[in-house]
Amino acid sequence: MKKTIPALTLLASVLLAGASQAAAPSAFTVNVTGQGQPIILIPGLASSGEVWQSTVARLCGPQTTRQCHVLTLAGFAGVTPIAGDLLAQTEQQLSDYIVAQKLGQPAIIGHSLGGFLALKLAIDHPQQTGKLIIVDSLPALGATQSSNISKEQLQQSAKQMQDFMRSQDGASFAAGQRHTVNTMVTAPADVERIMAWGQRSDKDTVINAMGTLIATDLRQGVARISSPTLVLGTWIAYKDFAPRSAIEQTFRSQYAQLPGVKIEMADTARHFIMYDQPDWMFERIEQFLN
């Protein structure tokens, strides 16, 4: 079974004092594939849910007993943007979606920004989250250079980054995206695919979401997560700046408060592990889910 649906069209109408209450704009669309145990897959910044295409084929194909719910967030990859805090609205609407669809405690797989959202949902809605698989994402992205950075410094850093991105014209912004994507994936065809999603993404949405990622520190909050958690990290793109051991230690330090977390590092993949080292990723996900 495969269908594409806006998240909130699935929610029951809420009646207050006999009047119908207007629904908020949808923070994401959902593509559903398969039958069985539910898995929610969340892509990263400016990415389409299509990034999970091969993952869905492996996990939720015809011979499996799983059902994949693949999100694409508002403002990313051509989906209509919404006003306000995208990540906060996505978290709440995803919680509502899980209830409306009677998914129980679905497994959640998140890449990059999607991993951040998976962690946040598990912190704030532990009764709605099953196993977590976090693909190359950290609880405090803004603290990678300084582990003792303060909340105020994180916010200042986020604002400086946002101001710089807003000051760029279209060509400079696109050039910056291309430079970044080239560090995140190996094959030229994958670079072009990811770039196309970025070019179809709303600039303000991307800047605001990136600011939230930089400004937020979940390192202590993850202590409240009760879900079994697998973290898959990468390091090879940074080999000119730090050894594998140092980057792995950053992961372990940032997840130190998460009880029982399992962390594994890919040997050859860059940030988009599903493209660079898919078999390694699929094997570890299936072992963890089973």
Side-chain angles (χ1 to χ4, degrees), residues 38-40 98 103-108 128-132:
I39 304 172
I40 294 171
I98 291 169
L103 301 183
Q105 291 185 310
I108 302 178
Q128 293 178 323
T129 52
K131 292 181 177 181
L132 299 181

Side-chain angles (χ1 to χ4, degrees), residues 249-260:
Q249 181 53 39
T250 296
F251 274 84
R252 297 197 179 281
S253 174
Q254 289 223 355
Y255 283 100
Q257 301 303 314
L258 204 169

Side-chain angles (χ1 to χ4, degrees), residues 115-247:
F116 173 90
L117 279 168
L119 293 172
K120 194 72 167 60
L121 186 75
I123 291 169
D124 297 336
H125 304 273
Q127 74 283 0
Q128 293 178 323
T129 52
K131 292 181 177 181
L132 299 181
I133 299 168
I134 310 299
V135 182
D136 215 28
S137 184
L138 292 167
L141 182 61
T144 54
Q145 299 300 315
S146 174
S147 61
N148 296 321
I149 192 169
S150 68
K151 178 179 178 180
E152 292 72 24
Q153 289 171 320
L154 284 172
Q155 292 172 342
Q156 182 181 15
S157 178
K159 184 178 185 303
Q160 290 173 344
M161 180 214 64
Q162 289 177 310
D163 289 345
F164 172 74
M165 293 173 75
R166 289 194 178 101
S167 73
Q168 293 179 303
D169 60 25
S172 298
F173 190 76
Q177 283 184 313
R178 181 170 291 278
H179 173 77
T180 300
V181 172
N182 273 313
T183 70
M184 290 182 165
V185 71
T186 302
D190 294 330
V191 170
E192 295 308 317
R193 181 183 300 112
I194 296 163
M195 276 297 301
W197 296 334
Q199 289 168 354
R200 293 168 56 213
S201 296
D202 178 67
K203 182 177 178 180
D204 285 340
T205 301
V206 172
I207 292 172
N208 290 337
M210 191 66 193
T212 300
L213 283 181
I214 296 295
T216 306
D217 187 347
L218 300 179
R219 287 177 293 178
Q220 299 304 314
V222 297
R224 302 203 299 273
I225 293 177
S226 56
S227 300
T229 304
L230 170 66
V231 176
L232 302 176
T234 69
W235 72 278
I236 199 72
Y238 316 108
K239 62 183 176 61
D240 292 338
F241 307 101
R244 184 186 195 278
S245 58
I247 296 172

Side-chain angles (χ1 to χ4, degrees), residues 19-37:
S20 178
Q21 206 172 1
S26 295
F28 52 85
T29 60
V30 187
N31 194 317
V32 182
T33 301
Q35 296 282 356
Q37 291 297 114

Side-chain angles (χ1 to χ4, degrees), residues 50-72:
E50 293 172 22
V51 75
W52 296 116
Q53 188 172 35
S54 60
T55 309
V56 170
R58 179 73 171 256
L59 298 180
C60 298
Q63 306 306 314
T64 69
T65 57
R66 304 187 188 100
Q67 183 179 69
C68 286
H69 299 247
V70 180
L71 276 56
T72 301

